[in-house]
Amino acid sequence: MTAARKDVAPRSAPSGMPPKRATVIAQRIVKEIKGRNLQPGAHLPPERDMLETYNVGRNTLREALRVLELQGVLMIRPGPGGGPVVTSPDSRHLASTLALLMQFADTPFRAVIETRQLLEPLTARLCAERSDHGLLADLRGSVDRMGESLDDREAFLDENRRFHDLVAWGSENPLFGYCINSLHWITDGTVLGVDYPRRFRKIVWRAHDEVCIGIESGEGDKAEAAMREHMDDTLAYFERHYQRQMDEVLSWEMYGT
């Protein structure tokens, strides 16, 4: 039996303290949103009704709503006819939270790329094994649009994110979908000064085509290998041209929503 490493932080023991009242109310609101199947754009009851329903003070209710707004569950519209409106949390909120955690852990940009390098080939395999005709059409359309956007950097990067998002969600595992898309917002790298010149955009486009072909074939091994090669090439590009950025510690302010 080996001794425990001293540099690994022990798991925090439960404090035994009950959650804040505002947190409890926020959880109840989420439960009601899901229970009533409220869709984005739906209005929650007026403040006076919510105060009565949840039997709390105005400050507690507003704190609960603010918590949910920060999590992307709702937005507070000002003025007459405003109030809390249901929204849909997306991966950018998770990216912001991850960036905050990584800042406190002194996590370099390199670690995020390495994580994607390990996870994305698996999602490509699952996508090939589980995808339907609709997803295949979306993936092929993404590759085609990427090829048409080689001279438009912003459009190209948007399509790049979309392709990886489609593959991740095509795994039919929501956790992969949220995690990988969140990591992709962080590894965009533009906030760190990373550039994606046309010659590299062309390499990425061709790599996406190979991944798409692998997924279209329905062969998990082929799709996984194509995505792994794509991720390896991406890592090599960053290592070769952006060594300083690779070692830079991520900060929350770069990715806060």
Side-chain angles (χ1 to χ4, degrees):
M1 179 176 176
T2 58
R5 285 179 55 183
K6 294 182 180 180
D7 58 341
V8 177
R11 181 179 298 176
S12 299
S15 65
M17 297 179 61
K20 291 181 63 176
R21 180 65 171 160
T23 301
V24 174
I25 299 303
Q27 293 167 346
R28 288 182 61 186
I29 294 172
V30 168
K31 185 176 181 179
E32 182 174 351
I33 290 172
K34 294 298 295 181
R36 294 173 56 192
N37 195 29
L38 297 179
Q39 301 301 307
H43 287 257
L44 294 185
E47 183 180 85
R48 61 179 180 276
D49 294 344
M50 297 181 77
L51 291 173
E52 182 176 346
T53 298
Y54 299 114
N55 191 29
V56 293
R58 179 173 285 104
N59 288 341
T60 299
L61 176 62
R62 289 180 176 177
E63 183 180 351
L65 294 176
R66 178 58 178 161
V67 167
L68 295 179
E69 186 174 33
L70 289 172
Q71 297 295 330
V73 175
L74 53 82
M75 62 178 296
I76 309 298
R77 288 182 179 169
V85 178
V86 175
T87 57
S88 180
D90 62 30
S91 58
R92 281 171 291 189
H93 293 90
L94 179 56
S96 175
T97 301
L98 286 174
L100 175 61
L101 295 174
M102 288 187 289
Q103 180 173 355
F104 278 99
D106 295 325
T107 306
F109 184 63
R110 175 193 311 279
V112 186
I113 296 179
E114 289 175 347
T115 302
R116 285 187 59 201
Q117 190 180 23
L118 291 172
L119 292 181
E120 295 224 36
L122 176 57
T123 63
R125 167 183 284 276
L126 294 176
C127 187
E129 296 171 349
R130 300 173 178 179
S131 60
D132 56 29
H133 292 297
L135 177 61
L136 294 178
D138 288 341
L139 286 169
R140 178 50 60 190
S142 176
V143 173
D144 291 344
R145 284 189 296 274
M146 179 172 277
E148 296 166 357
S149 304
L150 291 176
D151 294 317
D152 186 335
R153 179 176 175 276
E154 294 305 315
F156 181 90
L157 291 177
D158 285 343
E159 202 57 57
N160 183 45
R161 280 190 289 267
R162 183 170 184 270
F163 180 85
H164 286 274
D165 191 24
L166 286 169
V167 174
W169 284 96
S171 71
E172 297 186 359
N173 184 318
L175 192 55
F176 278 143
Y178 280 120
C179 286
I180 289 178
N181 195 232
S182 297
L183 293 176
H184 196 264
W185 280 106
I186 297 173
T187 52
D188 171 35
T190 52
V191 295
L192 294 174
V194 174
D195 191 21
Y196 302 89
R198 191 184 191 281
R199 63 182 183 278
F200 183 67
R201 295 199 290 269
K202 192 171 184 179
I203 291 172
V204 172
W205 168 52
R206 288 174 173 170
H208 282 205
D209 185 47
E210 289 299 318
V211 173
C212 189
I213 290 172
I215 294 173
E216 288 169 334
S217 73
E219 300 176 29
D221 289 345
K222 186 175 182 179
E224 182 177 1
M227 183 64 86
R228 178 170 291 108
E229 182 176 359
H230 175 33
M231 290 292 99
D232 288 347
D233 288 345
T234 300
L235 177 60
Y237 173 76
F238 283 121
E239 291 277 17
R240 186 165 58 251
H241 297 286
Y242 296 100
Q243 188 63 51
R244 178 184 62 79
Q245 286 86 345
M246 288 288 283
D247 296 328
E248 187 168 342
V249 173
L250 296 166
S251 67
W252 187 35
E253 63 183 340
M254 296 177 180
Y255 304 99
T257 55

